[in-house]
Amino acid sequence: MRKIILGVILVTILVLTLFSNHLISDPATLGAHVVALKLDTGDTAWMIVATALVLIMTPGLGFFYGGMVGKKNVISTMLQSFMAMVIVTILWVIVGFGLCFGPSIGGVIGDPSYNFLFQGVSANTAWELAPTIPMLLFAFFQAKFAIITPALITGAFAERIRFWAYLLFMVLFILVVYAPLCHMTWHPDGIFFGWGVLDFAGGTVVHMSAGWAALAGAIFLGKRKVQKSNPARITYVLLGTGLLWFGWFGFNAGSAVGSGSLAAQALGTTTVAAAAAGMAWVFIDKIMGHKLSAMGACIGAVVGLVAITPAAGFVSISHAITIGIVASIVSNLVILKFPKGKIDDALDVFACHGVGGMVGMLLTGVFASNAVNPIVSANQGLIFGDSTLFLIQLKALVLVSAFAFTASYALFFIVNKITPLRVSEDKEELGLDISQHGEFL
């Protein structure tokens, strides 16, 4: 049955692409917020680079997670990230972009019919909020955010999920969880956008959604048979961290959708937040009597990158250091206090990405400054004497958390009804590399 379904999917995609010229939209019906292109070659060149940088974060994440798991699960763990690049890219072209950035339906989701199979996504038009780069480039830049989000979740249920079930969950997650959050936050007609929620590069859309989905997955799938195993390759973790940090400059500075001063500011805040968080993490470990570990330094740096993501284009360099340190302390403490014996979040995805994203969202409401970005002129951060933005950020945090966890748990339940999510005990003991893929290191 699975072979038949897969064959039908491939044939359907092939037919749709062969006849897609018949689906080209009339320019007059492209929907709101598509404008004439005012091409700036500098902005375009930078965004091409930024798009490539964000993409390399996903294989970087594969190395980061792959080095942490046991040796018999390295290939499967890394392949989960790689397949996100494959599956989500095609899904994004078919309906994903339209769901996120198509004409708004109630401020909650986009109408995918306007951009089905990228119809109307042209190199000669532009998205209203990025008028100096081709809309096609903007669409593919945004695709890389969609790619890495489900890949982030995989660390929570590492070493025990069936691969085909993961692929199905990933598709449903993009359609049901990621797309509405993206639309509400980054579309000009989205609900959160209208409230004035500030999320520069994905605190709610990427990290909080992934973190809460990770927690839901860890709870639903249950504990591994053996929860503690030696990391396969600490060197992979170091390499993955380097690739993530490198790619994060595209993630955050690219979210300025131009090559001007705002991109430079976001690059600077990203740099110091990651460094401050990595420093704080190893200091905390030493204070608590642990050795200075490569794993700790890497995890700390990534937590800083997560936390600065929503704030990158809204805060000063000095406040970015504060955000990195605070997020590192909070995430470290959450890992220490997390009920490991009851909830098996294998690679601490919730503590790092979920909690890190929430800390970043709240601290954006504390430190956002109109001296950095005029978009925050109406409501500055709490430190400047105005509580309005902080309360807006807090309200969005609560709603996103409730939605992402509940919807993700429901998706795990649905997928499990269609095909079992968890491998059998004997296959888990054998290792996913052999049992799922017939390969080994």
Side-chain angles (χ1 to χ4, degrees):
M1 177 62 70
R2 183 188 302 159
K3 294 177 181 178
I4 295 173
I5 294 172
L6 294 175
V8 170
I9 291 173
L10 287 175
V11 171
T12 301
I13 293 173
L14 183 59
V15 171
L16 286 173
T17 54
L18 283 172
F19 293 98
S20 62
N21 286 337
H22 298 295
L23 303 174
I24 294 177
S25 303
D26 186 320
T29 65
L30 292 179
H33 309 295
V34 179
V35 298
L37 175 64
K38 301 176 182 177
L39 184 68
D40 183 294
T41 55
D43 289 349
T44 301
W46 161 237
M47 291 306 297
I48 290 173
V49 172
T51 301
L53 287 172
V54 181
L55 181 63
I56 206 164
M57 291 173 68
T58 301
L61 180 72
F63 276 103
F64 185 72
Y65 282 171
M68 291 182 179
V69 298
K71 289 185 178 180
K72 57 188 179 181
N73 295 302
V74 174
I75 294 171
S76 182
T77 300
M78 296 182 72
L79 186 60
Q80 287 169 0
S81 291
F82 184 86
M83 287 304 294
M85 294 192 291
V86 173
I87 300 296
V88 177
T89 295
I90 301 303
L91 183 64
W92 186 255
V93 170
I94 296 172
V95 296
F97 180 73
L99 288 170
C100 291
F101 293 97
S104 188
I105 301 175
V108 176
I109 196 72
D111 182 350
S113 65
Y114 283 83
N115 302 122
F116 184 73
L117 276 172
F118 262 35
Q119 303 308 313
V121 181
S122 168
N124 299 310
T125 57
W127 180 245
E128 181 183 358
L129 300 181
T132 61
I133 66 171
M135 188 172 179
L136 185 66
L137 176 56
F138 173 78
F140 277 117
F141 174 70
Q142 287 294 335
K144 313 313 176 192
F145 288 72
I147 287 168
I148 198 171
T149 304
L152 291 170
I153 303 168
T154 62
F157 45 63
E159 303 185 311
R160 60 198 188 275
I161 195 168
R162 292 177 67 246
F163 205 83
W164 286 103
Y166 157 68
L167 295 182
L168 177 57
F169 171 79
M170 176 168 57
V171 170
L172 294 177
F173 176 84
I174 292 295
L175 299 177
V176 175
V177 180
Y178 182 88
L181 289 178
C182 180
H183 185 85
M184 288 189 286
T185 305
W186 287 335
H187 193 286
D189 297 327
I191 291 175
F192 294 158
F193 191 100
W195 289 354
V197 172
L198 297 183
D199 184 0
F200 193 74
T204 57
V205 180
V206 177
H207 297 293
M208 282 177 56
S209 70
W212 284 107
L215 182 61
I219 293 172
F220 189 89
L221 269 77
K223 298 180 290 185
R224 290 165 291 172
K225 188 175 181 180
V226 178
Q227 291 192 47
K228 291 185 178 180
S229 59
N230 293 323
R233 296 280 190 277
I234 299 296
T235 49
Y236 280 12
V237 180
L238 288 161
L239 174 60
T241 304
L243 289 172
L244 283 167
W245 196 335
F246 176 67
W248 225 291
F249 293 129
F251 202 78
N252 286 356
S255 293
V257 289
S259 58
S261 58
L262 186 58
Q265 182 71 22
L267 184 146
T269 55
T270 301
T271 302
V272 299
M279 177 188 70
W281 197 284
V282 296
F283 282 13
I284 296 166
D285 282 353
K286 184 63 177 177
I287 291 169
M288 292 184 173
H290 306 306
K291 291 183 178 180
L292 193 162
S293 67
M295 188 86 83
C298 290
I299 292 172
V302 170
V303 167
L305 291 166
V306 170
I308 197 59
T309 293
F314 302 124
V315 302
S316 68
I317 298 295
S318 58
H319 287 154
I321 294 174
T322 302
I323 290 172
I325 293 173
V326 171
S328 186
I329 293 171
V330 173
S331 290
N332 197 314
L333 293 176
V334 170
I335 288 175
L336 288 174
K337 299 298 181 180
F338 197 79
K340 286 285 187 183
K342 297 179 180 179
I343 301 174
D344 186 13
D345 182 350
L347 305 182
D348 298 311
V349 179
F350 176 72
C352 295
H353 291 276
V355 173
M358 286 187 281
V359 170
M361 279 296 293
L362 287 180
L363 293 184
T364 301
V366 173
F367 296 121
S369 168
N370 58 23
V372 174
N373 191 330
I375 198 174
V376 302
S377 58
N379 300 309
Q380 291 200 87
L382 192 62
I383 199 172
F384 301 105
D386 187 352
S387 63
T388 305
L389 177 60
F390 180 81
L391 293 175
I392 290 172
Q393 298 292 100
L394 179 60
K395 181 168 69 170
L397 183 151
V398 172
L399 291 175
V400 170
S401 298
F403 170 70
F405 178 83
T406 305
S408 297
Y409 194 91
L411 291 180
F412 282 114
F413 179 83
I414 292 168
V415 171
N416 194 53
K417 289 294 184 182
I418 297 171
T419 181
L421 273 165
R422 184 157 181 168
V423 298
S424 61
E425 283 194 9
D426 59 327
K427 289 183 177 180
E428 181 180 338
E429 190 170 355
L430 181 62
L432 301 188
D433 291 356
I434 289 291
S435 68
Q436 298 295 294
H437 312 292
E439 298 171 317
F440 57 90
L441 288 177

